[in-house]
Amino acid sequence: MKYINLRSCLLLVLLTWGVVFNTNAQLIPTPEQVKEVQEKLDKIKELKNQGKPNNDSAIKALAKEAIELADKYYKIPGDNADGEPEYDPDLEGEGEAELSGKKVKVKIGMDGLDSANELATTKYHEIVMHGGQAADSPSRWLPGAKGIAINEVEAYDGELKKAAEHGLSPTQIEEIKKRRQEYYDSLDAANKARIDSLKNAGAPYTMALAPATGTSKPILGTGTAKLYVVSSVFAEDRMMVTIRKLGNLANLLITATVAGRSTTARTDVDGHAILDFSTIATGITVNTPASITCTDINGSRLATANTMVRPGFAWIFDRATANNLPTEVANGTVATIRGNNLGAEAQLACNGRMQETLAASNSEMVVFIDAPNGNGATFVIGSYSVSESRITLAKPSTNPVFQAIQEQPFLMGSAPTQKAQGDATKKTATQTGLGTNRK
């Protein structure tokens, strides 16, 4: 689809490159600034060599000064930190981040004060990486050993991306890679594959979720055929639609007509199809109604629906947003979620399970609810990003038909195949109550 012309694209790329270049230049401290931080840390080492304990008042004062200078000179963003990171003389390892609302309280241990670049990369690991996960909690501040492993893999990948800016040595880089690999090796195949995919896409890391159950077919197909669509779509956008009826759902013809122009698509075995409105609606200047029909292989009409085509295009560069995530859902029902930057492939995650999308566009999605009962994180996975999340209570269905076909809750992957091994030179991998801390 032609969302923006080539000249505008080139200008945007050049402007973006210039901003990134200037930002990166500002993030790298001068040798004099690095030396100033290192002098504070060298004084701490001198006091330690004199037999001073970690909680010595002079060591605490020097640690505080070094931590503040690292923020100042390395330009480490502090938006996700609940207060200035504090030196903790009793902390084993380099650092620790504890969940505090949508932010993190960060502590720095003696190992994090080994050098200026070690302090910088530790603060980045805790504040920016774990802090970013906290900002998206609970969807990205993940529970249990598996969740902690995923969070740590992402945090170490973040450190590696910033290795040059933080001035890390080859030895330090190899140590980070080693720790990252140990957490990665502890994951099951499904979560390894998901991390690899998200890393390649440059997207935030989330846990592999159980697939949608497909229970909408017998529930929604017991009566008259119905076509599920969203209420509106941009002229240059794609819309996913779904047909529900008794019998075969594959290879049915879906036709969208706007101002006398039509486009078609064939359904898959689950009754889903994606319509490309850019082929028929480009250039419209006012809201224009569109009709959508479903016909079988003999040309007989099975169902119809209507939507509104709006002028404009779906330029999905920003994060997906969901404006009305529910606080409660009832299984066996259909829910409508509105937002932005969703996309035709958008899905709703609820309580560790993907929900089946019946219709979706840039700004709206229609979902069949079949989630494990109880409280859990709910969020939208858009075409290119994940929305913010909220805790949702999933309730049992009151529909006897749904209850009869309801499957047992799907377990999210198997137990870890290998535990991360600890040693005296690396961050502790101790798992603390429901993953409240990340190290």
Side-chain angles (χ1 to χ4, degrees):
M1 288 181 281
K2 296 181 289 185
Y3 292 138
I4 189 168
N5 65 45
L6 182 60
R7 185 182 219 174
S8 299
C9 274
L10 180 59
L11 179 60
L12 179 64
V13 169
L14 290 174
L15 289 172
T16 303
W17 178 82
V19 171
V20 170
F21 179 82
N22 289 333
T23 302
N24 285 342
Q26 295 170 358
L27 288 174
I28 301 175
T30 65
E32 292 76 17
Q33 291 171 335
V34 174
K35 182 180 178 182
E36 186 178 348
V37 177
Q38 190 61 50
E39 286 175 349
K40 304 289 184 184
L41 303 179
D42 288 342
K43 289 179 181 178
I44 291 176
K45 291 179 181 178
E46 290 177 9
L47 293 173
K48 288 285 293 178
N49 291 335
Q50 295 170 13
K52 299 292 185 181
N54 288 355
N55 62 357
D56 178 78
S57 59
I59 289 179
K60 286 183 175 180
L62 288 166
K64 185 175 186 297
E65 293 173 6
I67 290 170
E68 291 174 350
L69 286 177
D71 278 345
K72 178 180 178 182
Y73 294 151
Y74 287 89
K75 302 293 191 299
I76 298 171
D79 296 345
N80 296 326
D82 183 3
E84 178 69 18
E86 297 180 356
Y87 165 64
D88 184 347
D90 299 320
L91 179 64
E92 296 182 7
E94 290 94 339
E96 177 183 272
E98 181 178 356
L99 189 65
S100 178
K102 293 285 186 178
K103 297 187 177 185
V104 287
K105 284 187 175 295
V106 173
K107 296 178 181 179
I108 304 296
M110 180 58 72
D111 289 349
L113 303 176
D114 183 66
S115 64
N117 50 25
E118 183 65 45
L119 176 56
T121 195
T122 297
K123 294 190 74 174
Y124 189 87
H125 180 110
E126 308 298 347
I127 298 173
V128 177
M129 298 308 299
H130 287 323
Q133 293 157 0
D136 288 342
S137 62
S139 65
R140 288 185 56 231
W141 188 272
L142 302 173
K146 185 185 300 182
I148 290 176
I150 293 170
N151 284 164
E152 290 298 342
V153 169
E154 183 177 35
Y156 284 125
D157 280 342
E159 283 193 70
L160 292 171
K161 287 181 181 178
K162 294 290 183 178
E165 293 178 18
H166 295 154
L168 300 186
S169 68
T171 300
Q172 289 172 315
I173 292 173
E174 285 305 311
E175 176 63 21
I176 292 171
K177 289 181 177 178
K178 176 185 174 183
R179 299 179 188 185
R180 192 259 189 205
Q181 190 65 38
E182 288 171 343
Y183 279 110
Y184 181 83
D185 287 343
S186 74
L187 295 170
D188 53 64
N191 279 291
K192 286 180 181 178
R194 180 161 184 79
I195 284 176
D196 294 344
S197 174
L198 293 171
K199 181 181 179 181
N200 291 336
Y205 296 5
T206 54
M207 191 178 290
L209 300 171
T213 62
T215 48
S216 73
K217 286 185 280 188
I219 295 299
L220 300 178
T222 55
T224 305
K226 182 174 182 179
L227 192 58
Y228 290 87
V229 303
V230 294
S231 62
S232 68
V233 62
F234 282 118
E236 298 214 24
D237 194 3
R238 296 154 69 237
M239 179 198 293
M240 191 232 247
V241 302
T242 299
I243 181 69
R244 283 291 172 261
K245 70 176 189 68
L246 292 173
N248 180 44
L249 299 174
N251 206 35
L252 302 176
L253 185 66
I254 307 293
T255 303
T257 302
V258 181
R261 292 175 290 181
S262 299
T263 187
T264 62
R266 292 283 180 179
T267 58
D268 60 20
V269 294
D270 294 315
H272 305 314
I274 293 182
L275 295 165
D276 187 351
F277 279 80
S278 69
T279 62
I280 58 173
T282 299
I284 70 166
T285 57
V286 296
N287 289 350
T288 305
S291 64
I292 302 175
T293 63
C294 176
T295 55
D296 63 18
I297 57 175
N298 298 316
S300 300
R301 182 174 294 185
L302 300 175
T304 62
N306 297 301
T307 191
M308 185 65 68
V309 181
R310 296 181 288 160
F313 50 83
W315 193 1
I316 305 179
F317 277 176
D318 294 326
R319 178 180 181 178
T321 59
N323 302 332
N324 63 324
L325 287 176
T327 56
E328 293 186 0
V329 292
N331 281 316
T333 60
V334 175
T336 298
I337 307 295
R338 295 185 174 87
N340 293 291
N341 304 310
L342 303 180
E345 293 85 5
Q347 290 182 287
L348 183 72
C350 186
N351 287 15
R353 178 185 286 163
M354 303 300 291
Q355 305 300 292
E356 184 183 5
T357 304
L358 299 175
S361 67
N362 179 274
S363 56
E364 186 178 318
M365 58 189 300
V366 179
V367 183
F368 180 79
I369 302 297
D370 183 5
N373 296 328
N375 286 304
T378 297
F379 53 95
V380 173
I381 301 176
S383 295
Y384 302 105
S385 62
V386 177
S387 77
E388 291 189 3
S389 62
R390 71 181 308 162
I391 296 296
T392 298
L393 173 63
K395 296 182 176 181
S397 172
T398 58
N399 186 329
V401 178
F402 182 90
Q403 293 173 345
I405 65 171
Q406 179 67 54
E407 300 174 356
Q408 294 296 316
F410 188 97
L411 298 179
M412 291 188 292
S414 58
T417 57
Q418 176 185 338
K419 292 182 179 179
Q421 300 299 312
D423 59 53
T425 62
K426 68 185 180 186
K427 294 181 177 72
T428 177
T430 302
Q431 313 303 332
T432 56
L434 292 180
T436 55
N437 295 332
R438 298 291 186 270
K439 298 187 178 183

